[in-house]
Amino acid sequence: MHVFPARSTAFLTGVALALICGCGGSSDAVPRNSPAGPVPVVASTNVYGDVVEQIGGDRVRVVSIISDPAQDPHSFEAGTRNQLELSRAKVVVENGGGYDDFVRSMLRTAKNSSADVVNAVEVSGKTPPANGELNEHVWYDFPTMGKLADRIADALARTAPADADVFRQNARTFKEKLTLLQAEEEQIKAAHAGTAVAVTEPVPLYLIEASGLRNSTPAAFSEAIEEGDDVSPRTMQQTLDLFTDKRVEALVYNAQTAGPQTEKVEQAAEDNGIPVVPVTETLPPGEDYISWMSDNLDALRTALDE
C-alpha cells in the first residue's frame, strides 16, 4: 500500500524583517542602492522558487518556470512567456547538471544577459563518480541546500545591497530548519542503517543515502526510467525479484514520471506487501520546501517501521 506523508511538526518561525527607511526621511522613500521594488527572480522549478521566497520574503518577486506536479521537468519545453520573464530577471536559479538545460538555452538568447545565475549543482561541488554519472537531483541533499541558501542570499544582496542583512538572516533561519531535517535523517539511520530499499529513479538517492539506507535497485533499471528508455526484460525481472523475494523493505517511487514500467514495479511491491513511498520532483500544492522534505522523511520512516 502507499504510505502517504504525515504532517510534519512545527518548525522555527520566520525571522521578522526590519523596516528599512529611505535616506530622505520619508518612510515611503526607496533606499539608496536598492531597486525600485522587489528583485525579479526566475527559478527553473518551484522548489528553488520557494527557497528564494524564504530568503527574499517580500523583497523578491519570484517566477517558477515549472510548478505543475504533473509536469516532467526532463521533457519540459519553455515558451515565449518564460523567455520574457528571464529577460527581466536580476537573479536566476537553476538546477544545472543537465536537469533544466532549457534555462541556459533561453539565457543565451535573452536580451538581458546580466542576470546573476545561481547553479545548484555547481554550488554543491558534486562531481560524477568514476565511470558513472552525476546524480543531479541535488535538492534532495540538505548540505547542498544550505550552501545554496547562502549563494542565493549573496546574489540578492548584490542586487539590493540595502536588504543584504535581511537576506543573510533569512538564509541562516532556513539553514537552521535544514538541521532539523538532517536530524530526522539521523533518526532513520540510527534505527535502519543498512536496510535495503528500491527506487524507480535516482531522484531521492541523496536523502536515502544520508538516512543510512542501501539502494538495491539494478542501475540499468533506474537509469532507463530516468532517460525514458525501455527496460530490458532481464533487468525488469531482476527488479521485480526484489519484491517477490522480499529483499527490500520499501519502494521509493517517483510519482511525477510514472509509466507502464514503473507501475508494474509498484504493483509488484504492493502485491508482496512492500510499502510504497511516493516522492516528486517539484513542490506539492500547499507545501514549502521544509514541510515537503519533512513529510518525505516521515513517510519513509513510517514505511520502514512497518
Side-chain angles (χ1 to χ4, degrees), residues 107-243:
L107 282 173
R108 282 194 292 268
T109 58
K111 294 179 181 179
N112 171 21
S113 60
S114 62
D116 193 338
V117 180
V118 181
N119 181 303
V121 168
E122 291 178 359
V123 170
S124 76
K126 296 182 183 297
T127 57
N131 301 318
E133 294 185 0
L134 173 72
N135 177 10
E136 72 273 20
H137 307 97
V138 293
W139 64 93
Y140 272 90
D141 180 66
F142 302 140
T144 291
M145 296 304 285
K147 295 177 184 177
L148 185 69
D150 285 335
R151 178 67 179 81
I152 290 171
D154 288 344
L156 294 175
R158 281 191 289 272
T159 300
D163 294 331
D165 289 344
V166 173
F167 300 142
R168 292 184 173 124
Q169 179 57 57
N170 287 348
R172 286 192 288 272
T173 299
F174 180 78
K175 290 191 293 182
E176 289 171 355
K177 295 176 183 180
L178 290 176
T179 65
L180 300 179
L181 298 179
Q182 290 174 292
E184 290 188 62
E185 289 178 327
E186 287 298 323
Q187 291 171 5
I188 295 174
K189 186 175 184 178
H192 301 284
T195 298
V197 299
V199 301
T200 54
E201 290 187 59
V203 171
L205 280 185
Y206 287 119
L207 183 149
I208 286 171
E209 292 165 356
S211 298
L213 308 177
R214 178 167 52 88
N215 173 31
S216 293
T217 315
F221 177 84
S222 55
E223 289 170 4
I225 295 300
E226 184 178 27
E227 297 299 324
D229 298 332
D230 289 333
V231 178
S232 71
R234 179 180 179 182
T235 299
M236 176 60 78
Q237 190 57 55
Q238 290 173 338
T239 305
L240 296 175
D241 288 345
L242 294 174
F243 308 103

Side-chain angles (χ1 to χ4, degrees), residues 3-11 139-140 142 177-185 187-188 207 211 277-279 283-284 287-302:
V3 179
F4 287 96
R7 276 288 161 204
S8 54
T9 55
F11 289 96
W139 64 93
Y140 272 90
F142 302 140
K177 295 176 183 180
L178 290 176
T179 65
L180 300 179
L181 298 179
Q182 290 174 292
E184 290 188 62
E185 289 178 327
Q187 291 171 5
I188 295 174
L207 183 149
S211 298
V277 181
V279 296
L283 284 178
E287 298 274 13
D288 65 20
Y289 177 81
I290 299 295
S291 66
W292 174 44
M293 285 297 160
S294 184
D295 286 349
N296 286 334
L297 287 164
D298 288 346
L300 182 60
R301 183 171 57 247
T302 299

